[in-house]
Amino acid sequence: MGTFAVTGSASGMGAASAAALRDAGHTVIGVDLRDADVVADLGTADGRRHAVEEVLALSGGTLDGVAAVAGVGPAMKDAGAVMSINYFGPVALLDGLRPALERSGAGRAVVIGSNSASTVPMVDEELARLALAGDEDAARERARAAQAALPPEIAGDAPSISAYATSKFALARWVRRTAVTPEWARRGILLNAIAPGAVLTPLMLGSTGDAADHDPDEFPTPMPLGVFGHPEDIAFWVHQFLRPEARFTTGAILYVDGGTDAAMRPDTQPTAMTL
């Protein structure tokens, strides 16, 4: 049995992922703002350092896997904070825990992205560039400027929609770029991402209201299966990516969204390589 760290472990997909790992007999170190083994704010540099230090102490410096699940949604009032929590938080945490994953001899890491990175037409490429360059202050400033320019009809319900979609877009790019570097791939550490769609979590319901009020066929994006997802649907794939048998999978982005991305962009994958 192994030792795994799960962020966002107090609720939603993080809680379901931690439960799935514990049910399989593993030791789980939960990280969250409350009700967790490690209480830390991943939206701040100090919080990230504290989280890394505590996870390393509790794990004895060796981890079999990390699930970076913690995140916030487009209803959050501060777009700058969305960038810090959704992008800079998981990146710093995984960078800090990479040596512990290497020590296990077969470390696995999975991050939770979102299909909003490809289905919301408000991704800010310059903001993504700033994030990938590691310039958190500039990214926060740009995200807030974009938020201030949103039309009122959007700003009312989803004030951080651009920052949310962009943070998940940048995170997916970070996974693809990082997974194949020698520091990860040649050290035997696998890194993948899951892109959920409409999953009934506190985060989603905080943006859209009570699930009982929704008809999947009237949701803003297509729902080909006609149902919403549940946290356990994501936890299943988190567990699969963290299993030892997932030894030949890295740099992947798995859509677990009931077919939404495929319905909206059926011809974007695969994309032919051109000479």
Side-chain angles (χ1 to χ4, degrees):
M1 295 296 101
T3 300
F4 297 84
V6 178
T7 70
S9 61
S11 65
M13 291 182 280
S17 298
L21 289 165
R22 289 191 181 104
D23 288 346
H26 299 298
T27 297
V28 175
I29 301 168
V31 181
D32 213 316
L33 287 169
R34 66 185 190 286
D35 303 327
D37 303 294
V38 176
V39 175
D41 181 359
L42 298 179
T44 70
D46 287 343
R48 296 163 202 154
R49 281 191 292 270
H50 174 69
V52 168
E53 290 170 359
E54 289 297 302
V55 170
L56 291 175
L58 290 171
S59 66
T62 300
L63 286 168
D64 295 285
V66 177
V69 185
V72 293
M76 192 170 191
K77 301 299 183 183
D78 182 358
V82 170
M83 291 301 301
S84 288
I85 296 167
N86 285 2
Y87 178 82
F88 292 97
V91 167
L93 185 88
L94 288 169
D95 279 343
L97 296 179
R98 191 201 62 76
L101 290 167
E102 183 180 343
R103 288 188 198 102
S104 78
R108 306 300 192 231
V110 59
V111 304
I112 298 299
S114 172
N115 72 349
S116 293
S118 58
T119 63
V120 172
M122 298 186 70
V123 168
D124 181 341
E125 289 270 9
E126 175 59 16
L127 177 55
R129 187 193 67 78
L130 291 170
L132 287 159
D135 194 338
E136 185 170 2
D137 289 341
R140 287 170 64 93
E141 182 178 348
R142 184 173 178 89
R144 288 169 175 157
Q147 178 182 9
L150 280 176
E153 60 270 21
I154 296 177
D157 294 328
S160 295
I161 183 62
S162 178
Y164 176 75
T166 304
S167 67
K168 298 298 188 176
F169 177 85
L171 188 59
R173 281 199 171 171
W174 179 82
V175 166
R176 295 276 289 172
R177 294 179 181 185
T178 303
V180 295
T181 61
E183 293 78 12
W184 288 75
R186 291 305 175 102
R187 303 294 174 85
I189 312 168
L190 307 182
L191 174 61
N192 295 288
I194 296 171
V199 178
L200 296 176
T201 64
L203 185 151
M204 175 185 158
L205 297 177
S207 300
T208 62
D210 194 322
D213 296 334
H214 294 306
D215 177 348
D217 290 326
E218 295 181 358
F219 201 67
T221 55
M223 302 287 289
L225 293 182
V227 295
F228 293 109
H230 293 271
E232 294 75 16
D233 299 320
I234 308 304
F236 171 82
W237 288 108
V238 168
H239 189 197
Q240 300 313 302
F241 274 128
L242 296 179
R243 289 168 61 90
E245 293 84 354
R247 60 184 175 271
F248 199 53
T249 304
T250 200
I253 300 172
L254 176 68
Y255 282 84
V256 185
D257 67 352
T260 296
D261 182 75
M264 294 181 70
R265 308 184 317 131
D267 298 327
T268 57
Q269 296 185 43
T271 301
M273 187 172 186
T274 57
L275 297 177

